[in-house]
Amino acid sequence: MAPDNTTDIPDKVRERHEELSRELDDHSYRYYMGAPVISDAEYDTLMLELRGIEEEYPLLVTQDSPTQKVGSPISVDFAAVEHLVRMESLGNAFDLDELGAWADRASAEVPVEAYLCELKIDGLAVDLVYEKGRLVRAATRGDGRVGEDITLNVRTIADVPERLDESVRPAPELLEVRGEVFLPVEAFAELNRRITETGEHTPFANPRNAAAGSLRQKDPRVTATRPLSMIVHGVGAYTPAGSDRERDTVVAGDAEDTTFTSQSQAYALLGEWGLPLSDRYKVVRTMDEVREYVRYYQEHRHEPPYEIDGIVVKVDSFALQRRLGSTSRAPRWAIAYKYPPEEVTTTLVDIKVGVGRTGRVTPYGVMEPVTVAGSEVEFATLHNAQEVARKGVLIGDTVVLRKAGDVIPEIVGPVVDRRDGSERPFTMPEKCPECGTPLGQQKEGDVDLRCPNARSCPGQLRERLFFVASRKALDIEALGYVAATALTQPLEPAEPALRDEGDLFDLTVEQLLPIRTYVLDPDTSEPKTDPKTGEPKVVSFFANKQGEPKKTVEKLFQQLEEAKSRPLWRVLVALSIRHVGPRAAEDLARHFRSLDAIRDAGEEELAAVDGVGPTIARSIKEWFEVDWHNEIVRKWRAAGVRMEDEVDESRPRTLEGVTVVVTGSLEGFSRDGAKEAVAERGGRATASVSKKTGFVVVGDSPGSKYDKAVKLGVPILDEQGFRVLLESGPEAAEALRLNPSS
């Protein structure tokens, strides 16, 4: 007879049910990842035992039980998740004097007995959460408070244990750890070699981009093919083994924590639990030893198997870390010493030009391939003709090349002493390299030359279409650079499938199947060559050898349908209105709520929106004055693309005409969430404090905006007061305003 309620189920049965469910979920996931660790028969035996328990105790059956699932999840939706403890960013020092000044400030407040030095890996920060020794969540850093759930992808990383090692000591009830996910240099080179050979997509620019792109794959099976690694470098929330989670969870290193006493001791414990640690960190007693560590790795920068861009120095003692505290931006007890970008010399073989989505024609240098900051570089932007002249570079020069911020290749200037007289100056072309239209300035005084053939220039359309599909716009993963090239620049005899981006949502399978196209390099817009033949690489992107649609076609149409429901701000970005990036688009969408309202607004009204201003406002008005731009909007609207954001009419308009500034971190609102809450009630969330500001809302670690509000006498509210302001309006909130002098 089945029990009447869950209290009748024995604890041992509950525990075995939970253990079997967890184990079966893990095995199911590994099976679908193509890496099972048990046989089908063993899996079936575990499932039979679980079914037997649930037949005897049916109250244990939930929709999450393995007995109720078909298959295993193999896609990632990057849902937002809140970190248990905020992930802080680090302040930077760019020379030894700045590093010494940081140490002087720290030691002036507390006597520092030891520093921990470690390499600053150029990767992606992640947050891992273990419950009872089992990995239950992994997330990106995000804004420090809220990140994106990448658990399924992180579980493919061999270095990250599914379960903590309890052979030395019991696993904690709860453990939150921070670390850096990266792609080792050799693995990065191998990955790019494979990508180049298969032509599956554009090779990655550097290991960090490769790691970030791998972690954001929507199919974890793709991530599993990338040899990612991880090194742990911090601890967040912690509950000791056998303790009550609600009562005994602390921030590791706080006064209530009796487990972690220092950074180095924390690393020792994390290592015992099987978490991946660096073998290159060092605890030292003096700043002279810190400087020696810094100098060593500056000279041996490529000695580690991963890319580094500096050194992190931390006060080792957690008690001293606690006393030093943090500013609104970064901890006072740690700093990142950033190495200067590496510089190398190479030959500038040629200077060519490329055309962007707004028609801007940009010179770029073509160089003899050279390795700089750990990756091979062949191209570098030169921005415009004036920049070429200012740098004084000639075609054929030996040039100094560096990576600005260790990311963007930059030509610093020529090595004049190496000239032999064969060098020649660069002349900016008079016609567009893509369509042959004469180039000109968009406005008098512009330093950039642009192609005015905006609608029909195949290069501009290709770049705009690729941008429409980008993550910052409509996020259409199946519409990559090769697909954008195929749709806009097919080889004869096919006609382009699109006249402009307005036709994107009216594509048919019949249009796609005959298309063949060159594979263009997104850095240069020039055809890539087949390594076997040396000829330009040509692909039939949408059809297989039998002339039937590839799987990418079905995926493309599915994602086009999903893109129709994207929020208004993404549609605004996708329209490629000059100067309107994601930040301005979000502000416009939040204020006006519909594309029609934005189009009909006057220039002054647009400029008054926080984050917009006169330049963006003028650009918006000019964009809508072009007939074919409005035709794009008409076609997208007819195809079902969302042109307005829904307004919750049930929300009271308590803040009509009220300006609110939020500073510091709120427990119940993200920064964007607070702005959204204000806008939904008719208010205006701005970034700066003035005499006209209605209220300033302060959270943890408020910045200078709080000081300015005090100086100007602007009403100040805490989070409780903010909630009252939202629900009941200014008059009710006035009674809760803070008194800064108290």
Side-chain angles (χ1 to χ4, degrees), residues 408-583:
I408 303 169
E410 175 188 9
I411 294 174
V412 179
V415 183
V416 178
D417 292 344
R418 295 194 186 180
R419 286 178 176 167
D420 59 13
S422 64
E423 298 80 13
R424 67 186 192 278
F426 164 72
T427 302
M428 194 73 177
E430 297 180 352
K431 294 183 178 180
C432 173
E434 297 274 2
C435 67
T437 302
L439 302 176
Q441 297 171 324
Q442 183 168 337
K443 293 180 180 179
E444 187 176 348
D446 276 357
V447 295
D448 295 321
L449 292 180
R450 294 179 186 271
C451 171
N453 183 23
R455 184 178 195 180
S456 303
C457 175
Q460 290 186 61
L461 178 53
R462 176 191 67 237
E463 299 299 324
R464 288 202 307 272
L465 192 61
F466 181 53
F467 181 77
V468 166
S470 67
R471 283 186 174 140
K472 65 177 66 175
L474 296 185
D475 194 12
I476 307 169
E477 187 179 10
L479 183 51
Y481 202 77
V482 177
T485 304
L487 293 172
T488 57
Q489 294 168 284
L491 299 177
E492 299 294 342
E495 290 293 319
L498 305 178
R499 183 184 181 190
D500 57 42
E501 55 266 50
D503 299 327
L504 177 60
F505 294 97
D506 296 319
L507 287 171
T508 65
V509 174
E510 291 70 28
Q511 287 176 290
L512 302 184
L513 295 185
I515 295 176
R516 288 167 57 79
T517 187
Y518 287 125
V519 178
L520 301 186
D521 188 318
D523 291 325
T524 65
S525 302
E526 301 220 0
K528 293 184 178 181
T529 56
D530 188 315
K532 295 180 180 178
T533 66
E535 296 295 318
K537 192 169 185 178
V538 177
V539 294
S540 176
F541 188 77
F542 300 106
N544 59 25
K545 292 180 179 179
Q546 291 74 40
E548 300 168 337
K550 293 181 180 178
K551 289 183 179 180
T552 52
V553 174
E554 180 182 352
K555 187 177 180 182
L556 173 61
F557 282 105
Q558 177 186 339
Q559 291 179 357
L560 285 172
E561 193 62 33
E562 293 170 354
K564 293 178 183 179
S565 60
R566 300 282 190 249
L568 175 60
W569 73 266
R570 287 187 174 274
V571 177
L572 267 176
V573 173
L575 291 174
S576 285
I577 303 172
R578 193 179 178 193
H579 303 306
V580 178
R583 180 70 60 85

Side-chain angles (χ1 to χ4, degrees), residues 30-56:
R30 290 178 181 277
Y31 176 85
Y32 279 88
M33 291 299 297
V37 294
I38 63 171
S39 67
D40 289 352
E42 290 172 304
Y43 180 91
D44 291 341
T45 299
L46 295 173
M47 182 64 79
L48 282 173
E49 183 182 352
L50 184 67
R51 289 187 189 279
I53 291 174
E54 291 184 352
E55 286 174 4
E56 186 173 353

